[in-house]
Amino acid sequence: MNLVDMVDIIFIAFVCLTAFAAFAIVLANQILQAAYWLLCTLLGIAGIFLFLGADFIAIAQVIAYVGGVLVLLLFGIMFVGADTATKRKTGRFSGLALASGLLLFLIWLVRLIPLCESEFYINTTLYDIGYQLLTNFLVPFEIAGILLLVALVSAVFISAKK
Amino acid sequence: MIGISYLQISLYLGALLMCIGVTLVITRRNLIMMLIGIELMLNASNLNLIAFGKKFGQTESHLFVLFILLVAAAEISIALALLIQFYKHFQSSHLEN
């Protein structure tokens, strides 16, 4: 077994972790369990980003999603109360039918894409991202900063209102 | 070489995550579960962007993913502030009660 086989096996392991955790979110009985399975899903996606040659995005995924979004979600769950069961009986079959139809459609779409061989190389994207962020994407970068500021202030304002 | 294609497997996984997110948003009436579904859908779109960026050898898709991450963080903070107000008003996080 050479190195390429090992890399492929690790990639498949990340894919299986992500898919299993995503199914576990749907099947979870409590919100807290769903949040922890979401943690597994996000970490698995970060690993897949590494295999797709996006090293900076993988780190940003771990920092922003696992460190920010998931902690905020857990805070919300703790605030509301983790006891609430999430099952809902009516309307489940229509949702499942719609989702499986969407899945079949997307699989049909993916099969239209020509297959390309797998290749794994580590080539850092950090310089390119930094260069693009300060030249071509400078205006969206600034607007994103303003958006974050406005979101922060308005979140404080909304949650502090009587 | 097993002979797998990272691109295709990633796209299939993205399709699966998108459908699971749609299922969560449609079938659950809990606000937090719906938020989790939205996060899953955003992650599916990120996965597709990164996969196609690898296929075409571009790094602009990474920047789009970065902005999506940022908007997701802003969205979840606003949504949780609204959730807190909702909970204060209705003493519940379900949409039906």
Side-chain angles (χ1 to χ4, degrees):
Chain A
M1 181 177 288
N2 54 6
L3 187 65
V4 180
D5 273 341
M6 282 303 291
V7 168
D8 282 356
I9 287 170
I10 294 171
F11 177 72
I12 294 296
F14 271 117
V15 170
C16 290
L17 168 74
T18 309
F20 176 76
F23 273 114
I25 291 173
V26 180
L27 300 177
N29 282 323
Q30 292 182 344
I31 308 177
L32 207 55
Q33 290 176 1
Y36 282 120
W37 284 117
L38 182 69
L39 169 71
C40 290
T41 311
L42 295 175
L43 286 178
I45 291 174
I48 293 170
F49 281 168
L50 269 185
F51 280 87
L52 292 175
D55 48 355
F56 180 71
I57 298 298
I59 301 297
Q61 166 101 355
V62 173
I63 291 174
Y65 263 115
V66 181
V69 169
L70 203 67
V71 169
L72 272 177
L73 261 181
L74 283 177
F75 167 72
I77 291 170
M78 299 295 178
F79 187 85
V80 169
D83 54 338
T84 49
T86 64
K87 294 289 184 189
R88 179 180 180 243
K89 294 291 181 265
T90 57
R92 185 189 284 174
F93 290 108
S94 64
L96 278 183
L98 181 66
S100 48
L102 183 64
L103 182 64
L104 287 179
F105 172 68
L106 287 176
I107 284 176
W108 175 75
L109 267 185
V110 170
R111 287 182 67 86
L112 293 180
I113 296 165
L115 193 75
C116 66
E117 69 278 5
S118 76
E119 56 196 38
F120 180 65
Y121 53 87
I122 296 178
N123 190 9
T124 179
T125 58
L126 206 53
Y127 305 113
D128 206 8
I129 286 178
Y131 179 76
Q132 295 274 358
L133 213 52
L134 289 182
T135 53
N136 290 334
F137 288 82
L138 183 58
V139 176
F141 185 55
E142 299 289 337
I143 293 175
I146 294 174
L147 173 73
L148 266 187
L149 178 68
V150 170
L152 210 66
V153 172
S154 55
V156 171
F157 179 72
I158 291 171
S159 58
K161 203 165 57 176
K162 290 293 179 189
Chain B
M1 250 345 243
I2 304 177
I4 58 172
S5 166
Y6 288 168
L7 171 69
Q8 280 221 324
I9 291 178
S10 306
L11 291 183
Y12 283 131
L13 188 66
L16 181 72
L17 286 180
M18 174 64 88
C19 294
I20 287 176
V22 170
T23 312
L24 278 178
V25 172
I26 289 178
T27 59
R28 302 299 176 92
R29 290 294 100 180
N30 192 305
L31 277 173
I32 297 177
M33 290 304 281
M34 293 171 80
L35 279 178
I36 289 176
I38 291 172
E39 294 302 321
L40 277 182
M41 285 194 277
L42 285 172
N43 266 292
S45 68
N46 283 352
L47 202 57
N48 275 16
L49 275 173
I50 293 287
F52 279 113
K54 178 175 164 60
K55 178 176 168 59
F56 294 109
Q58 290 180 339
T59 51
E60 278 88 354
S61 63
H62 295 191
L63 289 157
F64 281 101
V65 171
L66 214 56
F67 290 128
I68 291 175
L69 276 176
L70 214 145
V71 171
E75 168 244 328
I76 201 92
S77 61
I78 296 290
L80 280 174
L82 287 175
L83 171 76
I84 287 174
Q85 284 298 321
F86 189 86
Y87 184 73
K88 275 183 191 168
H89 197 266
F90 292 108
Q91 298 297 316
S92 166
S93 68
H94 286 268
L95 287 182
E96 297 174 330
N97 299 343

